[in-house]
Coordinates of all heavy atoms in Angstrom, one line a residue:
M1 N 121.9 130.4 66.3 CA 120.7 130.8 65.5 C 120.4 132.2 65.8 O 119.9 132.5 66.9 CB 119.7 129.6 65.6 CG 118.3 130.4 65.4 SD 117.0 129.2 65.4 CE 116.4 129.3 67.2
P2 N 120.5 133.0 64.9 CA 120.1 134.5 65.1 C 118.6 134.6 65.3 O 117.8 133.8 64.8 CB 120.4 135.2 63.8 CG 121.4 134.3 63.0 CD 121.0 132.9 63.6
L3 N 118.2 135.6 66.3 CA 116.7 135.7 66.5 C 116.4 137.2 66.7 O 117.3 137.9 67.4 CB 116.4 134.9 67.9 CG 115.0 135.1 68.4 CD1 114.0 134.5 67.6 CD2 114.9 134.4 69.9
T4 N 115.4 137.7 66.1 CA 115.1 139.1 66.3 C 113.7 139.2 66.9 O 112.8 138.5 66.6 CB 115.0 139.8 64.9 OG1 116.4 139.7 64.2 CG2 114.7 141.3 65.0
I5 N 113.7 139.9 68.0 CA 112.4 140.1 68.6 C 112.1 141.6 68.9 O 113.1 142.5 68.9 CB 112.4 139.4 70.1 CG1 113.4 139.9 71.0 CG2 112.5 137.9 69.9 CD1 113.4 139.5 72.3
R6 N 110.9 141.9 68.8 CA 110.5 143.3 69.2 C 109.9 143.3 70.7 O 109.2 142.6 71.0 CB 109.3 143.8 68.2 CG 109.7 143.7 66.7 CD 108.7 144.2 65.9 NE 108.9 143.9 64.6 CZ 109.7 144.4 63.7 NH1 110.5 145.5 64.2 NH2 109.9 144.2 62.4
L7 N 110.4 144.3 71.4 CA 110.0 144.6 72.7 C 109.3 145.8 72.8 O 109.6 146.9 72.4 CB 111.3 144.6 73.7 CG 112.2 143.4 73.7 CD1 113.4 143.6 74.6 CD2 111.4 142.2 73.9
D8 N 108.3 145.7 73.7 CA 107.5 147.1 74.1 C 108.4 147.8 75.0 O 109.4 147.3 75.5 CB 106.1 146.8 74.6 CG 106.2 146.0 75.8 OD1 107.0 146.2 76.7 OD2 105.4 144.9 75.8
A9 N 108.1 149.0 75.4 CA 109.0 149.9 76.2 C 109.1 149.3 77.6 O 110.2 149.4 78.1 CB 108.3 151.3 76.1
D10 N 108.1 148.8 78.1 CA 108.1 148.3 79.5 C 109.0 147.0 79.5 O 109.9 147.0 80.4 CB 106.8 147.8 80.0 CG 105.9 149.0 80.4 OD1 106.3 150.1 80.5 OD2 104.6 148.8 80.4
T11 N 109.0 146.2 78.6 CA 109.9 144.9 78.6 C 111.2 145.4 78.3 O 112.1 144.9 78.9 CB 109.2 144.1 77.4 OG1 107.9 143.7 77.7 CG2 110.1 142.8 77.4
E12 N 111.5 146.4 77.4 CA 112.9 146.9 77.2 C 113.4 147.4 78.5 O 114.6 147.2 78.7 CB 112.7 147.9 76.1 CG 114.1 148.1 75.5 CD 114.0 149.0 74.3 OE1 112.9 149.2 73.6 OE2 115.1 149.6 73.9
D13 N 112.6 148.1 79.2 CA 113.2 148.8 80.5 C 113.5 147.5 81.5 O 114.6 147.6 82.2 CB 112.1 149.5 81.2 CG 111.9 150.9 80.5 OD1 112.8 151.3 79.6 OD2 110.8 151.6 80.7
C14 N 112.6 146.5 81.5 CA 113.0 145.3 82.4 C 114.2 144.8 81.9 O 115.1 144.2 82.8 CB 111.9 144.2 82.4 SG 110.3 144.9 83.0
L15 N 114.4 144.4 80.7 CA 115.6 143.9 80.1 C 116.8 144.8 80.5 O 117.9 144.2 81.0 CB 115.5 143.8 78.6 CG 116.8 143.1 77.9 CD1 117.1 141.7 78.5 CD2 116.6 143.1 76.4
A16 N 116.7 146.1 80.4 CA 117.9 147.0 80.7 C 118.2 146.9 82.3 O 119.4 146.7 82.5 CB 117.6 148.4 80.3
E17 N 117.2 146.7 83.0 CA 117.5 146.5 84.5 C 118.3 145.2 84.8 O 119.1 145.2 85.7 CB 116.3 146.7 85.3 CG 115.7 148.1 85.4 CD 114.4 148.2 86.3 OE1 114.4 147.5 87.3 OE2 113.6 148.9 86.0
L18 N 117.7 144.0 84.1 CA 118.3 142.8 84.4 C 119.7 142.9 83.8 O 120.6 142.3 84.4 CB 117.5 141.7 83.6 CG 116.1 141.3 84.3 CD1 115.4 140.5 83.2 CD2 116.5 140.7 85.6
L19 N 120.0 143.4 82.8 CA 121.4 143.5 82.2 C 122.4 144.2 83.2 O 123.5 143.8 83.4 CB 121.3 144.2 80.8 CG 120.8 143.3 79.7 CD1 120.5 144.2 78.5 CD2 121.4 141.9 79.4
A20 N 121.8 145.3 83.6 CA 122.6 146.2 84.6 C 123.0 145.4 85.8 O 124.0 145.5 86.5 CB 121.9 147.5 84.8
E21 N 122.0 144.7 86.3 CA 122.1 144.0 87.6 C 122.9 142.8 87.5 O 123.8 142.4 88.4 CB 120.7 143.6 88.1 CG 120.7 143.1 89.6 CD 119.3 142.9 90.2 OE1 118.6 143.8 90.0 OE2 119.0 141.8 90.8
T22 N 122.8 142.0 86.3 CA 123.5 140.8 86.3 C 124.9 140.9 85.7 O 125.8 140.0 85.8 CB 122.8 139.8 85.4 OG1 122.5 140.3 84.2 CG2 121.4 139.4 86.0
G23 N 125.0 142.0 84.8 CA 126.3 142.2 84.1 C 126.5 141.3 83.0 O 127.6 141.2 82.4
Q24 N 125.4 140.5 82.6 CA 125.5 139.8 81.4 C 125.2 140.4 80.1 O 124.6 141.6 80.0 CB 124.5 138.5 81.5 CG 124.8 137.6 82.7 CD 123.6 136.6 82.8 OE1 122.6 136.9 83.4 NE2 123.9 135.3 82.4
D25 N 125.6 139.8 79.0 CA 125.1 140.5 77.8 C 123.7 139.9 77.4 O 123.3 139.0 78.0 CB 126.2 140.2 76.6 CG 126.3 138.6 76.4 OD1 127.1 138.0 77.0 OD2 125.5 138.1 75.6
K26 N 123.0 140.6 76.4 CA 121.8 140.2 76.1 C 121.5 138.7 75.8 O 120.6 138.1 76.2 CB 121.2 141.1 75.0 CG 120.9 142.6 75.2 CD 120.5 143.2 74.1 CE 120.2 144.7 74.4 NZ 119.8 145.4 73.2
S27 N 122.5 138.2 74.9 CA 122.2 136.8 74.5 C 122.3 135.9 75.7 O 121.6 134.9 75.8 CB 123.3 136.5 73.5 OG 123.1 137.3 72.2
S28 N 123.3 136.0 76.4 CA 123.5 135.1 77.6 C 122.4 135.3 78.6 O 121.8 134.2 79.0 CB 124.7 135.5 78.3 OG 126.0 135.3 77.6
L29 N 122.0 136.3 78.8 CA 120.8 136.6 79.7 C 119.5 135.9 79.1 O 118.7 135.3 80.0 CB 120.6 138.1 80.0 CG 119.2 138.4 81.0 CD1 119.5 137.7 82.4 CD2 119.0 139.8 81.0
I30 N 119.3 136.2 78.0 CA 118.1 135.6 77.3 C 118.1 134.1 77.3 O 117.2 133.3 77.6 CB 117.7 136.2 75.9 CG1 117.4 137.8 76.1 CG2 116.6 135.4 75.2 CD1 117.3 138.5 74.9
R31 N 119.3 133.5 77.0 CA 119.5 132.0 77.1 C 119.2 131.5 78.4 O 118.5 130.5 78.7 CB 120.9 131.7 76.5 CG 121.1 131.7 75.1 CD 122.2 131.0 74.7 NE 123.5 131.7 75.2 CZ 124.2 132.7 74.6 NH1 123.9 133.1 73.4 NH2 125.2 133.1 75.1
Q32 N 119.8 132.2 79.4 CA 119.5 131.8 80.9 C 118.1 131.8 81.2 O 117.6 130.9 81.8 CB 120.5 132.7 81.8 CG 120.1 132.3 83.2 CD 120.8 133.3 84.2 OE1 121.6 134.0 83.8 NE2 120.5 133.2 85.4
L33 N 117.4 132.9 80.8 CA 116.0 133.0 81.2 C 115.2 131.9 80.5 O 114.2 131.4 81.2 CB 115.6 134.4 80.8 CG 116.1 135.5 81.8 CD1 115.7 136.9 81.2 CD2 115.8 135.3 83.2
I34 N 115.4 131.7 79.3 CA 114.7 130.6 78.5 C 114.9 129.3 79.2 O 114.1 128.5 79.4 CB 115.1 130.5 77.1 CG1 114.7 131.9 76.4 CG2 114.6 129.4 76.3 CD1 115.0 132.1 74.9
R35 N 116.2 128.9 79.5 CA 116.5 127.6 80.2 C 115.7 127.6 81.5 O 115.2 126.4 81.8 CB 118.0 127.5 80.3 CG 118.6 126.8 79.2 CD 120.1 126.5 79.6 NE 121.0 126.9 78.4 CZ 121.8 127.9 78.4 NH1 121.8 128.7 79.4 NH2 122.5 128.2 77.3
E36 N 115.8 128.6 82.3 CA 115.1 128.7 83.6 C 113.7 128.4 83.5 O 113.0 127.6 84.2 CB 115.4 129.9 84.3 CG 116.9 130.0 84.9 CD 117.2 131.3 85.6 OE1 116.2 132.2 85.5 OE2 118.3 131.5 85.9
R37 N 113.0 129.0 82.5 CA 111.5 128.9 82.3 C 111.3 127.4 81.7 O 110.3 126.9 82.3 CB 111.1 129.9 81.3 CG 109.7 129.7 81.0 CD 108.9 130.1 82.3 NE 107.3 130.0 82.1 CZ 106.5 129.4 82.7 NH1 106.8 128.8 83.8 NH2 105.3 129.5 82.3
W38 N 112.1 126.9 80.9 CA 111.9 125.5 80.5 C 112.0 124.6 81.5 O 111.2 123.6 81.7 CB 113.1 125.2 79.3 CG 112.9 123.8 78.8 CD1 112.1 123.4 77.8 CD2 113.7 122.7 79.4 NE1 112.2 122.0 77.7 CE2 113.3 121.6 78.6 CE3 114.8 122.6 80.2 CZ2 113.9 120.3 78.7 CZ3 115.3 121.4 80.3 CH2 114.8 120.1 79.7
Q39 N 113.0 124.7 82.6 CA 113.2 123.9 83.7 C 111.9 123.9 84.6 O 111.6 123.0 85.2 CB 114.4 124.1 84.4 CG 115.7 123.7 83.7 CD 117.0 124.2 84.4 OE1 116.9 125.0 85.2 NE2 118.1 123.5 84.0
Q40 N 111.3 125.1 84.8 CA 110.1 125.2 85.5 C 109.0 124.4 85.0 O 108.1 124.0 85.8 CB 109.8 126.7 85.6 CG 110.7 127.5 86.5 CD 110.3 128.9 86.4 OE1 109.4 129.4 85.6 NE2 110.9 129.9 87.2
L41 N 109.0 124.2 83.7 CA 107.9 123.6 83.2 C 107.9 121.9 83.0 O 107.1 121.3 82.7 CB 107.6 124.1 81.6 CG 107.3 125.5 81.5 CD1 107.3 125.9 80.0 CD2 105.9 125.6 82.1
Q42 N 109.3 121.6 83.4 CA 109.5 120.2 83.4 C 108.8 119.6 84.6 O 108.8 120.1 85.8 CB 110.9 119.8 83.4 CG 111.8 120.4 82.3 CD 111.1 120.0 80.9 OE1 110.9 118.8 80.7 NE2 110.7 120.9 80.1
P43 N 108.3 118.3 84.5 CA 107.6 117.6 85.8 C 108.7 117.4 86.7 O 109.9 117.0 86.4 CB 107.1 116.3 85.2 CG 107.8 116.1 83.9 CD 108.1 117.5 83.3
L44 N 108.4 117.5 88.0 CA 109.3 117.1 89.1 C 109.3 115.6 89.2 O 108.4 114.8 88.9 CB 108.8 117.8 90.5 CG 108.7 119.3 90.4 CD1 108.1 119.7 91.7 CD2 110.1 119.8 90.2
P45 N 110.6 115.0 89.4 CA 110.8 113.7 89.8 C 110.0 113.3 91.0 O 109.9 114.0 92.0 CB 112.3 113.5 89.8 CG 112.8 114.8 90.3 CD 111.8 115.9 89.8
S46 N 109.4 112.1 90.9 CA 108.8 111.5 92.1 C 109.8 111.3 93.2 O 111.1 111.4 92.9 CB 108.1 110.3 91.8 OG 109.1 109.2 91.5
I47 N 109.3 111.2 94.4 CA 110.3 110.9 95.6 C 110.9 109.7 95.4 O 112.2 109.5 95.6 CB 109.4 110.8 96.8 CG1 108.9 112.2 97.2 CG2 110.2 110.4 98.0 CD1 108.0 112.4 98.4
T48 N 110.4 108.7 94.8 CA 111.0 107.4 94.5 C 112.2 107.7 93.5 O 113.3 107.2 93.6 CB 110.1 106.3 93.9 OG1 109.0 106.2 94.8 CG2 110.8 105.0 93.6
Q49 N 111.9 108.4 92.4 CA 113.0 108.7 91.5 C 114.1 109.5 92.2 O 115.4 109.3 91.9 CB 112.4 109.6 90.3 CG 111.5 108.7 89.5 CD 110.7 109.6 88.5 OE1 110.3 110.7 88.7 NE2 110.5 109.0 87.3
Q50 N 113.7 110.5 93.1 CA 114.7 111.3 93.7 C 115.6 110.4 94.6 O 116.9 110.7 94.8 CB 114.1 112.4 94.6 CG 113.4 113.5 93.8 CD 112.7 114.3 94.7 OE1 113.1 114.7 95.7 NE2 111.6 115.1 94.2
L51 N 115.1 109.3 95.1 CA 115.8 108.4 96.0 C 116.5 107.3 95.2 O 117.2 106.6 95.8 CB 114.9 107.8 97.1 CG 114.3 108.8 98.0 CD1 113.2 108.1 98.9 CD2 115.3 109.4 98.9
G52 N 116.4 107.3 93.9 CA 117.1 106.4 93.1 C 116.4 105.2 92.8 O 116.9 104.2 92.3
G53 N 115.0 105.2 92.9 CA 114.2 104.1 92.6 C 114.0 103.0 93.7 O 114.5 103.3 94.8
H54 N 113.2 102.0 93.5 CA 112.8 101.2 94.5 C 114.0 100.2 94.8 O 114.6 99.7 93.7 CB 111.6 100.3 94.1 CG 110.3 101.0 94.0 ND1 109.7 101.5 95.2 CD2 109.5 101.4 92.9 CE1 108.6 102.1 94.9 NE2 108.5 102.1 93.5
P55 N 114.3 99.9 95.9 CA 115.3 98.9 96.1 C 114.9 97.5 95.6 O 113.7 97.2 95.9 CB 115.4 98.8 97.7 CG 114.8 100.1 98.2 CD 113.8 100.5 97.2
E56 N 115.8 96.8 95.0 CA 115.5 95.5 94.5 C 114.8 94.6 95.5 O 113.7 93.8 95.2 CB 116.6 94.8 93.9 CG 117.2 95.4 92.5 CD 116.0 95.4 91.5 OE1 115.3 94.5 91.3 OE2 116.0 96.4 90.8
S57 N 115.3 94.5 96.6 CA 114.8 93.6 97.8 C 113.3 94.0 98.1 O 112.7 93.1 98.4 CB 115.6 93.7 99.0 OG 115.7 95.0 99.6
F58 N 113.0 95.4 98.1 CA 111.7 95.7 98.3 C 110.7 95.2 97.2 O 109.6 94.7 97.5 CB 111.6 97.2 98.4 CG 110.1 97.8 98.4 CD1 109.5 97.8 99.8 CD2 109.6 98.4 97.4 CE1 108.3 98.3 100.0 CE2 108.3 98.9 97.6 CZ 107.7 98.9 98.8
L59 N 111.1 95.3 95.9 CA 110.2 94.9 94.8 C 110.0 93.4 94.9 O 109.0 92.8 94.6 CB 110.9 95.3 93.5 CG 111.0 96.8 93.2 CD1 111.7 97.0 91.8 CD2 109.6 97.3 93.2
D60 N 111.1 92.6 95.5 CA 110.8 91.1 95.5 C 109.9 90.7 96.6 O 109.4 89.6 96.7 CB 112.4 90.4 95.8 CG 113.2 90.6 94.6 OD1 112.7 91.0 93.3 OD2 114.5 90.6 94.8
T61 N 109.7 91.6 97.6 CA 108.9 91.1 98.8 C 107.4 91.4 98.6 O 106.5 91.0 99.4 CB 109.4 91.7 100.1 OG1 109.3 93.2 100.0 CG2 110.9 91.4 100.3
L62 N 107.0 92.2 97.6 CA 105.6 92.6 97.4 C 104.8 91.4 96.9 O 105.2 90.7 96.0 CB 105.6 93.8 96.5 CG 106.1 95.1 96.9 CD1 106.1 96.1 95.7 CD2 105.4 95.7 98.2
P63 N 103.6 91.3 97.4 CA 102.7 90.3 96.9 C 102.3 90.5 95.3 O 102.3 91.6 95.1 CB 101.5 90.4 97.7 CG 101.9 91.1 98.9 CD 103.0 92.0 98.6
L64 N 102.1 89.6 94.6 CA 101.7 89.7 93.2 C 100.3 90.6 93.2 O 99.5 90.5 94.0 CB 101.3 88.4 92.6 CG 101.0 88.2 91.2 CD1 102.2 88.8 90.4 CD2 100.8 86.8 90.7
G65 N 100.4 91.5 92.4 CA 99.4 92.4 92.2 C 99.2 93.6 93.0 O 98.3 94.2 93.1
S66 N 100.2 93.7 93.8 CA 100.2 94.8 94.9 C 100.3 96.1 94.4 O 100.1 97.1 95.2 CB 101.3 94.5 96.1 OG 102.5 94.5 95.4
S67 N 100.6 96.3 93.1 CA 100.7 97.6 92.7 C 99.3 98.2 92.4 O 99.1 99.4 92.1 CB 101.5 97.7 91.4 OG 101.0 96.9 90.4
E68 N 98.4 97.4 92.3 CA 97.0 97.9 92.2 C 96.5 98.6 93.3 O 96.8 98.2 94.6 CB 96.1 96.6 91.8 CG 96.5 95.8 90.5 CD 96.4 96.7 89.4 OE1 95.4 97.5 89.2 OE2 97.2 96.4 88.4
R69 N 95.7 99.7 93.1 CA 95.3 100.7 94.2 C 94.5 99.8 95.2 O 94.5 99.9 96.5 CB 94.5 101.7 93.6 CG 93.9 102.6 94.6 CD 93.1 103.7 94.0 NE 93.1 104.9 95.0 CZ 93.7 106.0 94.9 NH1 94.6 106.2 93.9 NH2 93.5 106.9 95.9
S70 N 93.5 98.9 94.8 CA 92.7 98.2 95.7 C 93.6 97.2 96.5 O 93.3 97.0 97.7 CB 91.7 97.2 94.9 OG 92.2 96.5 94.0
Q71 N 94.6 96.6 95.9 CA 95.5 95.7 96.6 C 96.2 96.5 97.6 O 96.4 95.9 98.8 CB 96.3 95.0 95.7 CG 95.8 93.9 94.8 CD 95.1 92.8 95.7 OE1 95.7 92.5 96.8 NE2 94.0 92.3 95.5
R72 N 96.8 97.7 97.3 CA 97.6 98.5 98.2 C 96.7 98.9 99.5 O 97.0 98.9 100.6 CB 98.0 99.7 97.6 CG 99.2 99.4 96.6 CD 99.9 100.8 96.1 NE 99.1 101.9 95.9 CZ 98.8 102.2 94.8 NH1 99.0 101.7 93.7 NH2 98.0 103.3 94.6
R73 N 95.4 99.3 99.0 CA 94.6 99.6 100.2 C 94.2 98.5 101.1 O 94.1 98.6 102.4 CB 93.1 100.2 99.7 CG 92.2 100.6 100.6 CD 91.0 101.3 100.1 NE 91.5 102.6 99.7 CZ 90.8 103.5 99.0 NH1 89.6 103.2 98.5 NH2 91.3 104.7 98.7
L74 N 94.0 97.3 100.6 CA 93.6 96.2 101.4 C 95.0 95.7 102.3 O 94.8 95.5 103.4 CB 93.4 94.9 100.4 CG 93.0 93.5 101.2 CD1 91.9 93.7 102.1 CD2 92.9 92.4 100.1
L75 N 96.2 95.8 101.7 CA 97.3 95.5 102.5 C 97.5 96.5 103.7 O 97.9 96.2 104.8 CB 98.6 95.6 101.6 CG 98.8 94.5 100.6 CD1 99.9 94.8 99.6 CD2 99.1 93.2 101.4
L76 N 97.2 97.8 103.4 CA 97.3 98.9 104.3 C 96.2 98.6 105.4 O 96.6 98.7 106.6 CB 97.2 100.2 103.7 CG 97.3 101.4 104.8 CD1 98.6 101.5 105.4 CD2 97.0 102.8 104.0
T77 N 95.1 98.2 105.1 CA 94.0 98.0 106.0 C 94.4 96.9 106.9 O 94.2 97.0 108.2 CB 92.6 97.7 105.3 OG1 92.4 99.0 104.6 CG2 91.6 97.4 106.3
N78 N 94.8 95.9 106.3 CA 95.3 94.6 107.0 C 96.4 94.9 108.1 O 96.4 94.4 109.3 CB 95.6 93.4 106.1 CG 94.4 92.9 105.3 OD1 93.4 93.1 105.8 ND2 94.8 92.3 104.3
T79 N 97.4 95.7 107.6 CA 98.5 96.0 108.6 C 98.1 96.9 109.6 O 98.4 96.6 110.7 CB 99.7 96.9 107.6 OG1 99.9 95.9 106.7 CG2 100.7 97.1 108.6
L80 N 97.3 97.8 109.4 CA 96.7 98.8 110.5 C 95.8 97.9 111.5 O 95.8 98.3 112.6 CB 95.9 99.9 109.9 CG 96.9 101.0 109.1 CD1 96.1 102.0 108.4 CD2 97.9 101.6 110.0
T81 N 95.0 97.1 111.0 CA 94.1 96.3 111.8 C 95.0 95.4 112.6 O 94.5 95.3 113.9 CB 93.2 95.4 110.9 OG1 92.4 96.4 110.0 CG2 92.3 94.6 111.7
A82 N 96.0 94.8 112.1 CA 96.8 93.9 112.9 C 97.5 94.7 114.1 O 97.5 94.2 115.2 CB 97.9 93.2 111.9
R83 N 98.0 95.9 113.8 CA 98.7 96.7 114.7 C 97.6 97.1 115.8 O 98.1 97.2 117.1 CB 99.3 98.0 114.1 CG 100.5 97.7 113.3 CD 101.1 99.0 112.8 NE 102.2 98.8 112.0 CZ 102.8 99.6 111.1 NH1 102.3 100.8 111.1 NH2 103.8 99.2 110.3
R84 N 96.4 97.5 115.4 CA 95.4 97.9 116.5 C 95.1 96.6 117.5 O 94.9 96.7 118.6 CB 94.1 98.2 115.9 CG 94.2 99.7 115.4 CD 92.8 100.2 114.9 NE 93.0 101.1 113.9 CZ 92.5 101.1 112.6 NH1 91.8 100.0 112.3 NH2 92.8 102.1 111.7
T85 N 95.0 95.4 116.7 CA 94.7 94.3 117.5 C 95.9 93.9 118.4 O 95.7 93.5 119.7 CB 94.5 93.1 116.6 OG1 93.5 93.5 115.6 CG2 94.2 91.8 117.3
E86 N 97.0 94.1 118.1 CA 98.3 93.9 118.9 C 98.4 94.7 120.2 O 98.7 94.4 121.2 CB 99.6 94.0 118.2 CG 99.8 93.0 117.1 CD 101.0 93.3 116.2 OE1 101.7 94.4 116.5 OE2 101.2 92.6 115.3
R87 N 97.8 96.0 120.1 CA 97.9 97.0 121.2 C 96.8 96.7 122.3 O 96.9 97.1 123.3 CB 97.6 98.4 120.5 CG 98.8 98.9 119.8 CD 98.5 100.3 119.2 NE 99.6 100.7 118.3 CZ 99.4 101.7 117.7 NH1 98.5 102.5 117.7 NH2 100.6 102.0 116.8
H88 N 95.7 96.0 121.8 CA 94.6 95.9 122.8 C 94.6 94.4 123.4 O 95.2 93.5 123.2 CB 93.2 96.0 122.1 CG 92.9 97.4 121.7 ND1 93.0 98.5 122.4 CD2 93.0 98.0 120.4 CE1 92.7 99.6 121.8 NE2 92.8 99.3 120.5

């Protein structure tokens, strides 16, 4: 799709420097810059997503309702209390 843009002198100088440094033609460079900026705006995947999701066996062992914040906090508190008790 053809696109026409007007650049001020400073932006035109920046573009000329980028073209000279990268050796790309204008269209390729602008497409690359648009893609890079678009990628920067995309939300980062969570750590769980980066690791491929929750293992099925992990999901099967969670108590019912444990995804609720209050339940997670209670489970953590109970686990930490049990560990402290074991140490003393």
Side-chain angles (χ1 to χ4, degrees):
M1 145 175 103
L3 174 68
T4 302
I5 59 170
R6 298 185 196 282
L7 301 177
D8 57 53
D10 290 338
T11 306
E12 195 170 340
D13 291 342
C14 292
L15 178 59
E17 284 183 40
L18 285 169
L19 292 170
E21 188 170 317
T22 63
Q24 292 177 286
D25 62 271
K26 287 180 186 178
S27 294
S28 296
L29 177 62
I30 291 171
R31 281 193 300 268
Q32 176 188 346
L33 293 172
I34 290 171
R35 275 191 221 102
E36 287 174 1
R37 181 64 177 133
W38 178 80
Q39 287 175 340
Q40 290 173 356
L41 296 174
Q42 300 308 302
L44 295 174
S46 69
I47 291 178
T48 303
Q49 290 170 327
Q50 291 176 32
L51 295 174
H54 291 291
E56 289 299 319
S57 60
F58 175 74
L59 294 175
D60 293 342
T61 61
L62 293 174
L64 188 61
S66 60
S67 64
E68 300 294 323
R69 184 182 194 104
S70 60
Q71 288 296 326
R72 290 193 319 260
R73 180 171 282 166
L74 180 62
L75 288 168
L76 180 60
T77 301
N78 291 342
T79 300
L80 293 175
T81 303
R83 287 184 184 170
R84 283 189 207 120
T85 305
E86 290 173 1
R87 291 182 187 166
H88 297 293

